[in-house]
Amino acid sequence: MMSLITEQTQDATAEVFRGRQQPTPFLPLFVFAYFGVALAGVSAAAVSIPLRLSELDPAHKTQMLSLTVALGGVLVVLITAPIGRLSDVSTARAGIRRPYILGGSLVGALGMLVLALAPNVKLIIAGWGLAQAGFAATSMALNALLADQIPSRIRARVAATFGLSTGIAPVLGSSLVGALPGNPLYWFGIPAAIALIANVGVVLVLRDIVRTEPVPVDWRSLLRSYWINPVRHKDFAWAWACRLLMTISLASVITYLLYFLTDRLGIASKDAPSAQSTVLGVFFAFTVITTLLFGWISDRTGRRKTIVWSSALLTALGLLISLLSQDLTYFTIGIALAGTGQGAFISVDVAMMTELLPDSAEAGTGLAVIALSYQLPTLIVPALATLLLAIGDAGPNYAALFTASVIAAALGALAVLPIKNVP
């Protein structure tokens, strides 16, 4: 695959991209770095933090989880787009992306250490905010490399490996935390160490773009980094809305999955991480099949839009089945179907969005705007979940939460239909 990435033909119709020729280890280390960040972030949010909050404040665990996720999400939204812009115009000798990959990983690991040592909920919130801020900077730079270094003719396949990395992270995270000793230092420390090692690896081999001419940056240009005009760029806006809705849909389920298993399906707290790992393992197994298949089909045929809207509908159907289930078996069947749809979606969606970016958008800035479509749900989902879970007097209303997730996925499918410039 590296020969595809580094190949630059002299044909007049050849695709042009800004990247330099990369060494052979770049691609696997690139994917591993993305996986490392996903493992640290997802395992903390979906497993380790819920477990800690269950210990520290069991009576208010869902509210505290919502607050923690929301405040961490605020920091992510505030810093990602400006950092993307600063990365685009950086004149650092190390390159435009490497300092943010390494620096963000170090800050993220520090935040995970705070989480591991936190004796109360306030420090859990502070540690998660620090971890989110650091790993958001790293993710921004890694996503920008997708546009910098990967030609569009293979971008769906590479994006598919990113999707697989994100998909396997909660599975391995749940399994890892379940297998480790019952000590938060292990729960948070080992995923953080994996993320740091992985990102140091890609920094060491990356031949980064080096900008020599300074570009003036002021607060107005940083504010503009949050914005791509949806009226002038309607196709991009519709694709962005689809991604936002699909992320809301899945995040609503994944964030509260551990509590759903214990409170709705009656699984004992000590067995919940193992059950969660099984459910997510099934989700991932079906995701893998369609991710690899449809990433290849999309690159071979050039089809993006059809795959995205149909996979979004399939995800909605799977979540609906999970909503109606009363035991772990039927719940897992629904999640498997959702995983089938989600695999096809993630293999094509990012590639489609990068191809719909305005020509004027720098990679870091454009990818930062794309990142908002899956970062804003970290604010939207906790606020929405707090309201939905509070409906009625019989405890957390998971039926209302799952119904909202089904509706969001269905609306995500509809959002793709108006797109015109991608087949």
Side-chain angles (χ1 to χ4, degrees):
M1 184 174 285
M2 281 305 303
S3 63
L4 289 173
I5 294 178
T6 58
E7 178 187 13
Q8 294 192 32
T9 175
Q10 298 300 313
D11 190 284
T13 62
E15 178 180 40
V16 177
F17 66 106
R18 301 195 306 154
R20 299 172 59 187
Q21 182 174 345
Q22 297 296 329
T24 300
F26 167 73
L27 189 57
L29 287 173
F30 181 33
V31 174
F32 182 46
Y34 197 90
F35 163 75
V37 172
L39 177 68
V42 174
S43 66
V47 188
S48 302
I49 291 176
L51 286 174
R52 288 289 287 138
L53 292 176
S54 294
E55 296 173 353
L56 295 172
D57 192 356
H60 304 95
K61 61 184 181 182
T62 57
Q63 297 95 320
M64 291 301 100
L65 180 60
S66 295
L67 180 63
T68 302
V69 172
L71 293 179
V74 169
L75 284 176
V76 171
V77 170
L78 288 177
I79 71 169
T80 299
I83 286 181
R85 176 60 182 163
L86 292 172
S87 176
D88 281 336
V89 302
S90 172
T91 55
R93 291 183 179 181
I96 63 175
R97 312 298 182 201
R98 293 169 76 194
Y100 293 93
I101 296 173
L102 182 58
S105 298
L106 289 169
V107 173
L110 178 61
M112 297 285 274
L113 180 61
V114 173
L115 283 166
L117 299 175
N120 54 53
V121 173
K122 289 182 180 179
L123 280 179
I124 290 287
I125 293 172
W128 183 233
L130 189 62
Q132 282 283 74
F135 289 134
T138 302
S139 295
M140 177 282 304
L142 292 173
N143 277 295
L145 287 181
L146 186 66
D148 286 344
Q149 305 292 347
I150 309 299
S152 64
R153 66 181 180 275
I154 62 167
R155 196 170 294 165
R157 279 168 283 180
V158 177
T161 65
F162 275 22
L164 289 177
S165 298
T166 305
I168 197 174
V171 181
L172 293 184
S174 297
S175 300
L176 184 63
V177 172
L180 290 171
N183 187 327
L185 279 172
Y186 291 103
W187 298 350
F188 295 102
I190 290 180
I194 293 171
L196 187 58
I197 292 169
N199 282 280
V200 167
V202 78
V203 163
L204 290 175
V205 303
L206 171 64
R207 294 170 182 166
D208 203 358
I209 296 168
V210 177
R211 182 187 290 273
T212 56
E213 297 180 4
V215 176
V217 177
D218 57 23
W219 66 270
R220 291 183 181 87
S221 66
L222 292 179
L223 286 177
R224 286 195 298 270
S225 65
Y226 287 100
W227 181 254
I228 290 177
N229 192 315
V231 176
R232 293 177 56 191
H233 307 287
K234 292 184 176 67
D235 280 356
F236 177 80
W238 284 116
W240 189 93
C242 171
R243 178 76 179 203
L244 176 76
L245 289 162
M246 287 297 290
T247 306
I248 288 173
S249 175
L250 266 295
S252 299
V253 176
I254 297 299
T255 303
Y256 299 90
L257 178 58
L258 190 75
Y259 295 157
F260 180 91
L261 295 175
T262 56
D263 298 350
R264 173 76 179 269
L265 299 185
I267 296 173
S269 296
K270 64 183 179 63
D271 299 323
S274 177
Q276 183 183 44
S277 177
T278 300
V279 170
L280 293 175
V282 171
F283 178 88
F284 175 70
F286 282 86
T287 298
V288 168
I289 298 170
T290 50
T291 297
L292 297 175
L293 177 61
F294 283 95
W296 178 82
I297 290 173
S298 181
D299 278 341
R300 291 280 294 180
T301 64
R303 310 291 296 184
R304 309 288 201 213
K305 175 180 170 181
T306 303
I307 296 173
V308 171
W309 72 258
S310 58
S311 62
L313 278 181
L314 187 59
T315 300
L317 177 60
L319 293 177
L320 178 61
I321 293 173
S322 295
L323 164 65
L324 299 175
S325 65
Q326 297 297 320
D327 59 46
L328 186 60
T329 299
Y330 285 105
F331 179 81
T332 305
I333 291 172
I335 289 295
L337 192 58
T340 302
Q342 190 63 193
F345 179 83
I346 62 178
S347 69
V348 179
D349 172 64
V350 173
M352 181 177 73
M353 292 189 74
T354 59
E355 291 167 13
L356 291 173
L357 278 172
D359 293 338
S360 59
E362 294 281 353
T365 302
L367 269 294
V369 174
I370 291 175
L372 287 174
S373 66
Y374 53 86
Q375 291 167 350
L376 284 174
T378 62
L379 307 180
I380 297 170
V381 168
L384 183 64
T386 299
L387 296 174
L388 295 173
L389 290 171
I391 295 174
D393 300 320
N397 193 331
Y398 295 103
L401 182 64
F402 269 60
T403 299
S405 73
V406 173
I407 293 171
L411 291 175
L414 295 177
V416 181
L417 298 181
I419 295 174
K420 298 177 180 179
N421 293 325
V422 172

